[in-house]
mmCIF file of all heavy atoms in Angstrom:
data_model
loop_
_atom_site.group_PDB
_atom_site.id
_atom_site.type_symbol
_atom_site.label_atom_id
_atom_site.label_comp_id
_atom_site.label_asym_id
_atom_site.label_seq_id
_atom_site.Cartn_x
_atom_site.Cartn_y
_atom_site.Cartn_z
ATOM 1 N N ALA Y 91 5.898 -3.316 3.514
ATOM 2 C CA ALA Y 91 4.901 -2.281 3.019
ATOM 3 C C ALA Y 91 5.523 -0.907 3.187
ATOM 4 O O ALA Y 91 5.502 -0.083 2.094
ATOM 5 C CB ALA Y 91 3.560 -2.401 3.816
ATOM 6 N N GLY Y 92 6.093 -0.705 4.361
ATOM 7 C CA GLY Y 92 6.733 0.794 4.412
ATOM 8 C C GLY Y 92 7.869 0.933 3.583
ATOM 9 O O GLY Y 92 8.109 2.036 2.988
ATOM 10 N N ALA Y 94 8.493 -0.398 0.738
ATOM 11 C CA ALA Y 94 8.114 -0.248 -0.783
ATOM 12 C C ALA Y 94 7.668 1.186 -1.019
ATOM 13 O O ALA Y 94 8.192 1.801 -2.034
ATOM 14 C CB ALA Y 94 6.901 -1.200 -1.007
ATOM 15 N N ALA Y 95 6.982 1.782 -0.075
ATOM 16 C CA ALA Y 95 6.501 3.197 -0.339
ATOM 17 C C ALA Y 95 7.818 4.083 -0.259
ATOM 18 O O ALA Y 95 7.963 5.017 -1.027
ATOM 19 C CB ALA Y 95 5.503 3.624 0.760
ATOM 20 N N TRP Y 96 8.699 3.848 0.720
ATOM 21 C CA TRP Y 96 9.809 4.751 0.952
ATOM 22 C C TRP Y 96 10.835 4.539 -0.264
ATOM 23 O O TRP Y 96 11.426 5.509 -0.682
ATOM 24 C CB TRP Y 96 10.582 4.489 2.217
ATOM 25 C CG TRP Y 96 11.744 5.361 2.460
ATOM 26 C CD1 TRP Y 96 13.058 5.093 2.203
ATOM 27 C CD2 TRP Y 96 11.567 6.707 2.944
ATOM 28 N NE1 TRP Y 96 13.783 6.244 2.493
ATOM 29 C CE2 TRP Y 96 12.933 7.208 2.972
ATOM 30 C CE3 TRP Y 96 10.596 7.567 3.330
ATOM 31 C CZ2 TRP Y 96 13.290 8.504 3.400
ATOM 32 C CZ3 TRP Y 96 10.891 8.830 3.804
ATOM 33 C CH2 TRP Y 96 12.204 9.316 3.784
ATOM 34 N N THR Y 97 10.981 3.346 -0.654
ATOM 35 C CA THR Y 97 11.836 3.175 -1.936
ATOM 36 C C THR Y 97 11.324 3.953 -3.064
ATOM 37 O O THR Y 97 12.280 4.540 -3.784
ATOM 38 C CB THR Y 97 11.946 1.591 -2.239
ATOM 39 O OG1 THR Y 97 12.431 0.880 -1.134
ATOM 40 C CG2 THR Y 97 12.848 1.458 -3.440
ATOM 41 N N LEU Y 98 10.117 3.911 -3.405
ATOM 42 C CA LEU Y 98 9.623 4.752 -4.529
ATOM 43 C C LEU Y 98 9.866 6.244 -4.329
ATOM 44 O O LEU Y 98 10.388 6.890 -5.298
ATOM 45 C CB LEU Y 98 8.118 4.500 -4.567
ATOM 46 C CG LEU Y 98 7.324 5.454 -5.641
ATOM 47 C CD1 LEU Y 98 7.809 5.117 -7.110
ATOM 48 C CD2 LEU Y 98 5.870 5.291 -5.534
ATOM 49 N N PHE Y 99 9.660 6.759 -3.027
ATOM 50 C CA PHE Y 99 9.931 8.108 -2.870
ATOM 51 C C PHE Y 99 11.409 8.527 -2.990
ATOM 52 O O PHE Y 99 11.755 9.475 -3.700
ATOM 53 C CB PHE Y 99 9.415 8.524 -1.411
ATOM 54 C CG PHE Y 99 9.811 9.744 -0.900
ATOM 55 C CD1 PHE Y 99 9.273 11.001 -1.533
ATOM 56 C CD2 PHE Y 99 10.836 9.897 0.102
ATOM 57 C CE1 PHE Y 99 9.715 12.189 -1.002
ATOM 58 C CE2 PHE Y 99 11.187 11.127 0.491
ATOM 59 C CZ PHE Y 99 10.607 12.287 0.050
ATOM 60 N N SER Y 100 12.240 7.729 -2.327
ATOM 61 C CA SER Y 100 13.607 8.056 -2.310
ATOM 62 C C SER Y 100 14.354 7.835 -3.718
ATOM 63 O O SER Y 100 15.236 8.602 -4.055
ATOM 64 C CB SER Y 100 14.366 7.182 -1.153
ATOM 65 O OG SER Y 100 14.258 5.758 -1.657
ATOM 66 N N GLU Y 101 13.916 6.797 -4.497
ATOM 67 C CA GLU Y 101 14.558 6.632 -5.704
ATOM 68 C C GLU Y 101 14.268 7.911 -6.763
ATOM 69 O O GLU Y 101 15.124 8.436 -7.366
ATOM 70 C CB GLU Y 101 13.997 5.364 -6.364
ATOM 71 C CG GLU Y 101 14.691 5.101 -7.698
ATOM 72 C CD GLU Y 101 14.302 3.806 -8.397
ATOM 73 O OE1 GLU Y 101 13.556 3.055 -7.718
ATOM 74 O OE2 GLU Y 101 14.802 3.501 -9.470
ATOM 75 N N ILE Y 102 12.852 8.252 -6.857
ATOM 76 C CA ILE Y 102 12.495 9.416 -7.664
ATOM 77 C C ILE Y 102 13.336 10.602 -7.152
ATOM 78 O O ILE Y 102 13.827 11.470 -7.967
ATOM 79 C CB ILE Y 102 11.031 9.597 -7.584
ATOM 80 C CG1 ILE Y 102 10.334 8.468 -8.213
ATOM 81 C CG2 ILE Y 102 10.661 10.857 -8.405
ATOM 82 C CD1 ILE Y 102 8.762 8.459 -8.164
ATOM 83 N N LEU Y 103 13.249 10.978 -5.858
ATOM 84 C CA LEU Y 103 13.828 12.029 -5.302
ATOM 85 C C LEU Y 103 15.377 12.185 -5.606
ATOM 86 O O LEU Y 103 15.878 13.207 -6.039
ATOM 87 C CB LEU Y 103 13.628 12.153 -3.845
ATOM 88 C CG LEU Y 103 14.244 13.393 -3.032
ATOM 89 C CD1 LEU Y 103 13.709 14.630 -3.674
ATOM 90 C CD2 LEU Y 103 13.793 13.402 -1.566
ATOM 91 N N TRP Y 132 11.814 9.510 -13.723
ATOM 92 C CA TRP Y 132 10.530 9.287 -13.003
ATOM 93 C C TRP Y 132 9.804 8.084 -13.451
ATOM 94 O O TRP Y 132 9.452 7.094 -12.769
ATOM 95 C CB TRP Y 132 9.626 10.504 -13.155
ATOM 96 C CG TRP Y 132 8.328 10.399 -12.508
ATOM 97 C CD1 TRP Y 132 7.999 9.556 -11.525
ATOM 98 C CD2 TRP Y 132 7.251 11.361 -12.681
ATOM 99 N NE1 TRP Y 132 6.711 9.923 -11.038
ATOM 100 C CE2 TRP Y 132 6.164 11.067 -11.765
ATOM 101 C CE3 TRP Y 132 6.882 12.343 -13.552
ATOM 102 C CZ2 TRP Y 132 4.884 11.552 -11.734
ATOM 103 C CZ3 TRP Y 132 5.637 12.990 -13.487
ATOM 104 C CH2 TRP Y 132 4.785 12.581 -12.518
ATOM 105 N N LEU Y 136 9.103 4.399 -11.613
ATOM 106 C CA LEU Y 136 7.787 3.728 -11.477
ATOM 107 C C LEU Y 136 7.763 2.400 -12.022
ATOM 108 O O LEU Y 136 7.066 1.529 -11.452
ATOM 109 C CB LEU Y 136 6.778 4.602 -12.314
ATOM 110 C CG LEU Y 136 6.436 5.932 -11.753
ATOM 111 C CD1 LEU Y 136 5.451 6.749 -12.645
ATOM 112 C CD2 LEU Y 136 5.669 5.904 -10.370
ATOM 113 N N HIS Y 139 9.213 0.072 -9.538
ATOM 114 C CA HIS Y 139 8.303 -0.059 -8.362
ATOM 115 C C HIS Y 139 7.252 -1.042 -8.729
ATOM 116 O O HIS Y 139 6.929 -1.805 -7.906
ATOM 117 C CB HIS Y 139 7.654 1.387 -8.095
ATOM 118 C CG HIS Y 139 6.817 1.269 -6.760
ATOM 119 N ND1 HIS Y 139 7.506 1.180 -5.562
ATOM 120 C CD2 HIS Y 139 5.522 1.323 -6.505
ATOM 121 C CE1 HIS Y 139 6.463 1.218 -4.629
ATOM 122 N NE2 HIS Y 139 5.315 1.272 -5.243
ATOM 123 N N LEU Y 164 -3.714 1.084 -3.890
ATOM 124 C CA LEU Y 164 -2.326 1.391 -4.015
ATOM 125 C C LEU Y 164 -1.864 2.387 -5.169
ATOM 126 O O LEU Y 164 -0.916 3.177 -5.016
ATOM 127 C CB LEU Y 164 -1.567 0.064 -4.361
ATOM 128 C CG LEU Y 164 -1.240 -0.861 -3.084
ATOM 129 C CD1 LEU Y 164 -0.500 -2.019 -3.515
ATOM 130 C CD2 LEU Y 164 -0.594 -0.085 -2.082
ATOM 131 N N PRO Y 165 -2.590 2.351 -6.351
ATOM 132 C CA PRO Y 165 -2.327 3.441 -7.335
ATOM 133 C C PRO Y 165 -2.450 4.729 -6.848
ATOM 134 O O PRO Y 165 -1.692 5.605 -7.205
ATOM 135 C CB PRO Y 165 -3.425 3.170 -8.477
ATOM 136 C CG PRO Y 165 -3.654 1.665 -8.323
ATOM 137 C CD PRO Y 165 -3.607 1.391 -6.880
ATOM 138 N N LEU Y 166 -3.353 5.066 -5.810
ATOM 139 C CA LEU Y 166 -3.503 6.338 -5.204
ATOM 140 C C LEU Y 166 -2.203 6.711 -4.540
ATOM 141 O O LEU Y 166 -1.623 7.869 -4.589
ATOM 142 C CB LEU Y 166 -4.611 6.439 -4.190
ATOM 143 C CG LEU Y 166 -4.797 7.748 -3.382
ATOM 144 C CD1 LEU Y 166 -4.962 8.921 -4.341
ATOM 145 C CD2 LEU Y 166 -5.804 7.613 -2.353
ATOM 146 N N GLY Y 167 -1.662 5.785 -3.788
ATOM 147 C CA GLY Y 167 -0.281 5.902 -2.981
ATOM 148 C C GLY Y 167 0.801 6.235 -4.082
ATOM 149 O O GLY Y 167 1.632 7.005 -3.799
ATOM 150 N N ILE Y 168 0.782 5.461 -5.078
ATOM 151 C CA ILE Y 168 1.851 5.579 -6.145
ATOM 152 C C ILE Y 168 1.819 7.009 -6.717
ATOM 153 O O ILE Y 168 2.844 7.723 -6.909
ATOM 154 C CB ILE Y 168 1.739 4.529 -7.221
ATOM 155 C CG1 ILE Y 168 2.042 3.128 -6.603
ATOM 156 C CG2 ILE Y 168 2.755 4.851 -8.301
ATOM 157 C CD1 ILE Y 168 1.753 2.051 -7.580
ATOM 158 N N VAL Y 169 0.663 7.429 -7.129
ATOM 159 C CA VAL Y 169 0.462 8.733 -7.712
ATOM 160 C C VAL Y 169 0.911 9.833 -6.767
ATOM 161 O O VAL Y 169 1.723 10.744 -7.068
ATOM 162 C CB VAL Y 169 -0.962 8.938 -8.145
ATOM 163 C CG1 VAL Y 169 -1.240 10.454 -8.622
ATOM 164 C CG2 VAL Y 169 -1.395 7.978 -9.307
ATOM 165 N N LEU Y 170 0.393 9.831 -5.497
ATOM 166 C CA LEU Y 170 0.646 10.882 -4.501
ATOM 167 C C LEU Y 170 2.228 11.028 -4.257
ATOM 168 O O LEU Y 170 2.851 12.036 -4.178
ATOM 169 C CB LEU Y 170 -0.152 10.768 -3.233
ATOM 170 C CG LEU Y 170 -1.617 11.014 -3.528
ATOM 171 C CD1 LEU Y 170 -2.347 10.840 -2.039
ATOM 172 C CD2 LEU Y 170 -1.971 12.486 -4.020
ATOM 173 N N ILE Y 171 2.744 9.824 -3.877
ATOM 174 C CA ILE Y 171 4.170 9.723 -3.561
ATOM 175 C C ILE Y 171 5.047 10.137 -4.635
ATOM 176 O O ILE Y 171 6.055 10.957 -4.505
ATOM 177 C CB ILE Y 171 4.592 8.337 -3.084
ATOM 178 C CG1 ILE Y 171 3.836 7.929 -1.743
ATOM 179 C CG2 ILE Y 171 6.095 8.192 -2.930
ATOM 180 C CD1 ILE Y 171 4.080 6.538 -1.283
ATOM 181 N N SER Y 172 4.787 9.636 -5.865
ATOM 182 C CA SER Y 172 5.600 10.090 -7.066
ATOM 183 C C SER Y 172 5.498 11.493 -7.399
ATOM 184 O O SER Y 172 6.465 12.224 -7.710
ATOM 185 C CB SER Y 172 5.287 9.192 -8.213
ATOM 186 O OG SER Y 172 3.872 9.410 -8.661
ATOM 187 N N LEU Y 173 4.290 12.110 -7.271
ATOM 188 C CA LEU Y 173 4.140 13.567 -7.512
ATOM 189 C C LEU Y 173 4.954 14.350 -6.450
ATOM 190 O O LEU Y 173 5.585 15.311 -6.844
ATOM 191 C CB LEU Y 173 2.590 13.938 -7.390
ATOM 192 C CG LEU Y 173 1.782 13.530 -8.580
ATOM 193 C CD1 LEU Y 173 0.330 13.884 -8.392
ATOM 194 C CD2 LEU Y 173 2.184 14.121 -9.812
ATOM 195 N N PHE Y 174 4.802 13.948 -5.150
ATOM 196 C CA PHE Y 174 5.595 14.615 -4.126
ATOM 197 C C PHE Y 174 7.085 14.564 -4.440
ATOM 198 O O PHE Y 174 7.777 15.503 -4.347
ATOM 199 C CB PHE Y 174 5.075 13.940 -2.838
ATOM 200 C CG PHE Y 174 5.805 14.661 -1.672
ATOM 201 C CD1 PHE Y 174 5.982 16.002 -1.448
ATOM 202 C CD2 PHE Y 174 6.449 13.852 -0.701
ATOM 203 C CE1 PHE Y 174 6.673 16.535 -0.392
ATOM 204 C CE2 PHE Y 174 7.080 14.322 0.461
ATOM 205 C CZ PHE Y 174 7.025 15.708 0.571
ATOM 206 N N ALA Y 175 7.608 13.388 -4.673
ATOM 207 C CA ALA Y 175 8.934 13.170 -4.897
ATOM 208 C C ALA Y 175 9.482 13.822 -6.067
ATOM 209 O O ALA Y 175 10.520 14.397 -6.269
ATOM 210 C CB ALA Y 175 9.295 11.636 -4.910
ATOM 211 N N PHE Y 176 8.646 13.721 -7.212
ATOM 212 C CA PHE Y 176 9.124 14.438 -8.458
ATOM 213 C C PHE Y 176 9.177 15.898 -8.322
ATOM 214 O O PHE Y 176 10.195 16.576 -8.700
ATOM 215 C CB PHE Y 176 8.144 14.091 -9.610
ATOM 216 C CG PHE Y 176 8.541 14.717 -10.857
ATOM 217 C CD1 PHE Y 176 9.321 14.031 -11.722
ATOM 218 C CD2 PHE Y 176 7.841 15.839 -11.271
ATOM 219 C CE1 PHE Y 176 9.620 14.608 -13.046
ATOM 220 C CE2 PHE Y 176 8.191 16.464 -12.557
ATOM 221 C CZ PHE Y 176 9.020 15.822 -13.383
ATOM 222 N N GLY Y 177 8.122 16.605 -7.744
ATOM 223 C CA GLY Y 177 8.127 17.968 -7.490
ATOM 224 C C GLY Y 177 9.246 18.422 -6.623
ATOM 225 O O GLY Y 177 10.038 19.357 -7.007
ATOM 226 N N LEU Y 178 9.508 17.790 -5.514
ATOM 227 C CA LEU Y 178 10.642 18.184 -4.701
ATOM 228 C C LEU Y 178 11.920 17.798 -5.247
ATOM 229 O O LEU Y 178 12.960 18.566 -5.163
ATOM 230 C CB LEU Y 178 10.548 17.298 -3.241
ATOM 231 C CG LEU Y 178 11.553 17.587 -2.253
ATOM 232 C CD1 LEU Y 178 11.462 19.165 -1.876
ATOM 233 C CD2 LEU Y 178 11.294 16.755 -0.976
ATOM 234 N N PRO Y 228 4.670 14.812 5.736
ATOM 235 C CA PRO Y 228 3.638 14.373 4.754
ATOM 236 C C PRO Y 228 3.809 12.806 4.492
ATOM 237 O O PRO Y 228 2.842 12.156 3.989
ATOM 238 C CB PRO Y 228 3.747 15.219 3.508
ATOM 239 C CG PRO Y 228 5.192 15.713 3.659
ATOM 240 C CD PRO Y 228 5.460 15.843 5.192
ATOM 241 N N MET Y 229 5.042 12.311 4.598
ATOM 242 C CA MET Y 229 5.354 11.006 4.265
ATOM 243 C C MET Y 229 4.585 9.952 5.242
ATOM 244 O O MET Y 229 4.437 8.861 4.820
ATOM 245 C CB MET Y 229 6.839 10.568 4.160
ATOM 246 C CG MET Y 229 7.532 11.209 2.996
ATOM 247 S SD MET Y 229 6.797 10.508 1.432
ATOM 248 C CE MET Y 229 7.294 8.853 1.561
ATOM 249 N N SER Y 231 1.443 9.956 6.169
ATOM 250 C CA SER Y 231 0.146 9.552 5.654
ATOM 251 C C SER Y 231 0.365 8.811 4.306
ATOM 252 O O SER Y 231 -0.480 7.860 3.990
ATOM 253 C CB SER Y 231 -0.778 10.770 5.477
ATOM 254 O OG SER Y 231 -0.991 11.461 6.653
ATOM 255 N N LEU Y 232 1.319 9.192 3.481
ATOM 256 C CA LEU Y 232 1.502 8.509 2.291
ATOM 257 C C LEU Y 232 2.050 7.180 2.387
ATOM 258 O O LEU Y 232 1.649 6.199 1.727
ATOM 259 C CB LEU Y 232 2.541 9.325 1.338
ATOM 260 C CG LEU Y 232 2.138 10.751 1.036
ATOM 261 C CD1 LEU Y 232 3.166 11.550 0.223
ATOM 262 C CD2 LEU Y 232 0.794 10.723 0.327
ATOM 263 N N VAL Y 233 2.971 6.835 3.420
ATOM 264 C CA VAL Y 233 3.368 5.589 3.662
ATOM 265 C C VAL Y 233 2.234 4.746 4.308
ATOM 266 O O VAL Y 233 2.118 3.592 4.093
ATOM 267 C CB VAL Y 233 4.711 5.549 4.597
ATOM 268 C CG1 VAL Y 233 4.963 4.129 5.156
ATOM 269 C CG2 VAL Y 233 5.835 6.203 3.954
ATOM 270 N N GLY Y 234 1.413 5.457 4.992
ATOM 271 C CA GLY Y 234 0.267 4.843 5.704
ATOM 272 C C GLY Y 234 -0.594 4.130 4.644
ATOM 273 O O GLY Y 234 -1.356 3.214 4.983
ATOM 274 N N ILE Y 235 -0.746 4.760 3.444
ATOM 275 C CA ILE Y 235 -1.645 4.199 2.347
ATOM 276 C C ILE Y 235 -1.062 2.684 2.117
ATOM 277 O O ILE Y 235 -1.988 1.791 2.087
ATOM 278 C CB ILE Y 235 -1.476 4.953 1.100
ATOM 279 C CG1 ILE Y 235 -2.114 6.325 1.335
ATOM 280 C CG2 ILE Y 235 -2.391 4.254 -0.013
ATOM 281 C CD1 ILE Y 235 -1.997 7.377 0.171
ATOM 282 N N TYR Y 236 0.153 2.428 1.983
ATOM 283 C CA TYR Y 236 0.717 1.134 1.798
ATOM 284 C C TYR Y 236 0.524 0.273 2.992
ATOM 285 O O TYR Y 236 0.148 -0.880 2.858
ATOM 286 C CB TYR Y 236 2.153 1.331 1.485
ATOM 287 C CG TYR Y 236 2.521 1.637 0.145
ATOM 288 C CD1 TYR Y 236 2.273 2.857 -0.462
ATOM 289 C CD2 TYR Y 236 3.105 0.658 -0.830
ATOM 290 C CE1 TYR Y 236 2.543 3.119 -1.849
ATOM 291 C CE2 TYR Y 236 3.382 1.123 -2.097
ATOM 292 C CZ TYR Y 236 3.179 2.289 -2.601
ATOM 293 O OH TYR Y 236 3.496 2.683 -3.770
ATOM 294 N N LEU Y 251 -4.941 12.612 4.406
ATOM 295 C CA LEU Y 251 -4.305 12.677 3.093
ATOM 296 C C LEU Y 251 -4.532 14.068 2.381
ATOM 297 O O LEU Y 251 -3.836 14.312 1.459
ATOM 298 C CB LEU Y 251 -4.753 11.577 2.199
ATOM 299 C CG LEU Y 251 -4.412 10.206 2.492
ATOM 300 C CD1 LEU Y 251 -5.086 9.212 1.575
ATOM 301 C CD2 LEU Y 251 -2.898 9.946 2.478
ATOM 302 N N PRO Y 254 -1.088 16.285 2.576
ATOM 303 C CA PRO Y 254 -0.058 15.684 1.752
ATOM 304 C C PRO Y 254 -0.374 15.855 0.205
ATOM 305 O O PRO Y 254 0.493 16.139 -0.657
ATOM 306 C CB PRO Y 254 0.080 14.270 2.110
ATOM 307 C CG PRO Y 254 -0.361 14.188 3.539
ATOM 308 C CD PRO Y 254 -1.424 15.323 3.526
ATOM 309 N N THR Y 255 -1.687 15.741 -0.115
ATOM 310 C CA THR Y 255 -2.110 15.838 -1.486
ATOM 311 C C THR Y 255 -1.929 17.239 -2.000
ATOM 312 O O THR Y 255 -1.409 17.517 -3.166
ATOM 313 C CB THR Y 255 -3.533 15.438 -1.667
ATOM 314 O OG1 THR Y 255 -3.776 14.104 -1.265
ATOM 315 C CG2 THR Y 255 -4.068 15.668 -3.215
ATOM 316 N N ALA Y 258 1.874 17.887 -2.338
ATOM 317 C CA ALA Y 258 2.357 17.103 -3.536
ATOM 318 C C ALA Y 258 1.943 17.837 -4.866
ATOM 319 O O ALA Y 258 2.805 18.062 -5.653
ATOM 320 C CB ALA Y 258 1.804 15.679 -3.663
#
Side-chain angles (χ1 to χ4, degrees):
W96 183 262
T97 299
L98 175 63
F99 170 71
S100 61
E101 182 177 0
I102 295 175
L103 180 57
W132 186 14
L136 287 175
H139 190 65
L164 284 182
L166 174 63
I168 293 173
V169 169
L170 292 179
I171 291 174
S172 62
L173 287 177
F174 179 45
F176 180 86
L178 183 60
M229 284 303 294
S231 298
L232 298 180
V233 170
I235 296 176
Y236 278 68
L251 291 175
T255 300

